[in-house]
Amino acid sequence: MGKNIEITELEKRLVDLLAEGLPLVERPFLVLAERLGVSEEEILTTIEGLLEKKIIRRLGATIRHNLSGYEGNVMVAWKVPEERIEEVGNSLASKPFITHCYLRRTYPDWPYNLYTMVHAETEEACRRLVEQLAEELALSDYEMLFTEKEITRKKRKYFTA
Amino acid sequence: MLTPVEKRLLDRLQAGLPLAPRPFKKLGEELGLSEAEVIDKLKELKERGILRHLGASPDSRRLGFVTTLAAVSVPPERAEEVARGIGERPEVTHCYLRRHRMNIWFTIVAQNFEEVEKILEEISHEARATARHFPAEKLFKLRATFKL
């Protein structure tokens, strides 16, 4: 699955720093430049290169949904018949309130193959959305996995310890 | 909970930060705010926990890494302790307690799938239950941003 691409030492160090996050100062790229011993301009062109090569998806904000009006979110594991995977996967992916939709490995005692993250304003609204989806797509076998508690949410360090 | 200005700022920032020496000045110009106002607002949003992260999300697959979703079911009274242990591993990027018999769910980013298996074995040993993973076979959608 991993497609290896060429990546320079500077790119590696920059990827880890960008994943850590930018400082909220007037010239954040200058701070990174000083840490890596290169010019601010070099940082900016290297970031452009990382975006072009799709090593980073974007440089921007990640927000916490549950504190910004979307309190409810639920992971749903759906059991979808083999022959309907494409149709159902595409239908689910087209919904604006669904942010993630993956086909995943199953086990005999865990037959759910499609996983979605569903977002709504409240837990109740989430539940209703999921029930509507189930009816619309004629899926009767699914599990709603509500978050009890977030234990860890962090970025992995790829190249630096 | 969010003011109209905060919503516009976060929506704009989810699309991406301008690649310029003074990115917050540029953002401010677009939104009719001063550079200092943008920076102060962002600091405040960060403090309130709404702005989780301002930076980049590397595509682990492009970097040659593999990712997977995994879960383990443990008795409720041990769940939090086990989950904390799992979450402390450097390869585990997300770990949640979920209201379900299958109560601990986590994601792993590793060098390869042999490493994933090794991590799962260690976790199973510590959890005294079998941790399994559900690697992705197909991606239908991944959208990290959210219109406010």
Side-chain angles (χ1 to χ4, degrees):
Chain A
M1 214 153 87
K3 287 165 279 184
N4 276 302
I5 41 162
E6 297 257 337
I7 178 161
T8 66
E9 263 323 293
L10 175 61
E11 286 175 330
K12 287 184 182 177
R13 295 172 65 203
L14 190 54
V15 162
D16 275 343
L17 278 187
L18 291 173
E20 226 171 78
L22 287 174
L24 295 174
V25 296
E26 286 178 11
R27 296 177 71 177
F29 303 113
L30 184 62
V31 174
L32 301 186
E34 281 163 359
R35 283 185 66 178
L36 297 178
V38 297
S39 70
E40 186 182 30
E41 205 191 324
E42 206 171 335
I43 293 290
L44 287 166
T45 50
T46 310
I47 293 174
E48 272 167 29
L50 289 170
L51 287 165
E52 242 160 63
K53 290 195 246 175
K54 296 192 165 67
I55 291 172
I56 58 176
R57 291 188 193 95
R58 68 197 169 92
L59 185 67
T62 310
I63 58 165
R64 195 184 293 262
H65 304 136
N66 52 357
L67 291 179
S68 45
Y70 289 88
E71 308 240 340
N73 69 76
V74 65
M75 180 166 89
V76 188
W78 307 87
K79 183 183 169 188
V80 180
E82 191 74 34
E83 67 281 4
R84 291 193 58 207
I85 289 171
E86 282 298 311
E87 169 224 327
V88 172
N90 288 321
S91 296
L92 290 169
S94 72
K95 306 288 181 191
F97 51 84
I98 288 180
T99 52
H100 300 62
C101 181
Y102 285 90
L103 175 69
R104 297 185 177 278
R105 178 185 295 172
T106 59
Y107 293 86
D109 62 333
W110 189 264
Y112 309 99
N113 49 0
L114 271 179
Y115 287 72
T116 54
M117 281 303 306
V118 174
H119 300 261
E121 286 182 13
T122 62
E123 185 176 318
E124 223 2 78
C126 258
R127 219 177 265 284
R128 279 199 305 272
L129 271 179
V130 172
E131 281 159 9
Q132 279 165 21
L133 277 176
E135 203 183 300
E136 180 189 324
L137 298 169
L139 298 170
S140 54
D141 205 351
Y142 60 90
E143 296 284 341
M144 286 194 240
L145 296 135
F146 281 97
T147 304
E148 170 85 39
K149 191 169 191 176
E150 177 182 301
I151 302 288
T152 297
R153 194 181 155 125
K154 63 179 190 264
K155 301 276 179 188
R156 148 142 214 174
K157 289 254 191 278
Y158 291 92
F159 302 108
T160 43
Chain B
M1 204 150 47
L2 287 174
T3 67
V5 171
E6 288 168 343
K7 284 188 185 178
R8 273 165 54 215
L9 179 60
L10 288 173
D11 273 339
R12 175 62 188 81
L13 260 181
Q14 287 191 92
L17 190 68
L19 286 181
R22 294 176 70 171
F24 303 117
K25 185 160 180 273
K26 263 200 139 162
L27 271 182
E29 283 162 10
E30 285 178 35
L31 300 169
L33 299 168
S34 72
E35 183 179 36
E37 282 172 325
V38 171
I39 293 173
D40 286 347
K41 262 283 155 237
L42 291 175
K43 282 186 181 158
E44 190 204 316
L45 288 166
K46 194 152 192 194
E47 234 157 68
R48 283 160 63 192
I50 292 166
L51 174 65
R52 222 187 243 284
H53 180 244
L54 180 65
S57 303
D59 184 335
S60 31
R61 289 197 306 165
R62 298 281 289 168
L63 293 170
F65 285 73
V66 300
T67 63
T68 193
L69 173 71
V72 61
S73 172
V74 303
E77 62 276 13
R78 285 201 291 122
E80 181 150 356
E81 188 201 333
V82 170
R84 294 214 177 274
I86 293 172
E88 272 166 24
R89 292 176 170 267
E91 308 89 357
V92 171
T93 55
H94 300 70
C95 182
Y96 292 89
L97 287 178
R98 297 197 179 274
R99 296 204 301 268
H100 195 275
R101 172 179 56 82
M102 194 72 98
N103 50 1
I104 304 177
W105 288 81
F106 52 103
T107 55
I108 298 175
V109 178
Q111 306 270 358
N112 49 52
F113 281 109
E114 286 97 85
E115 193 189 1
V116 169
E117 295 298 340
K118 202 184 115 239
I119 293 164
L120 289 172
E121 256 172 54
E122 288 172 11
I123 288 174
S124 300
H125 182 76
E126 283 158 24
R128 284 175 271 147
T130 307
R132 294 189 296 198
H133 74 124
F134 311 92
E137 287 164 4
K138 180 169 177 159
L139 167 64
F140 283 99
K141 185 180 201 176
L142 171 60
R143 180 167 56 86
T145 61
F146 220 75
K147 179 89 176 81
L148 292 174

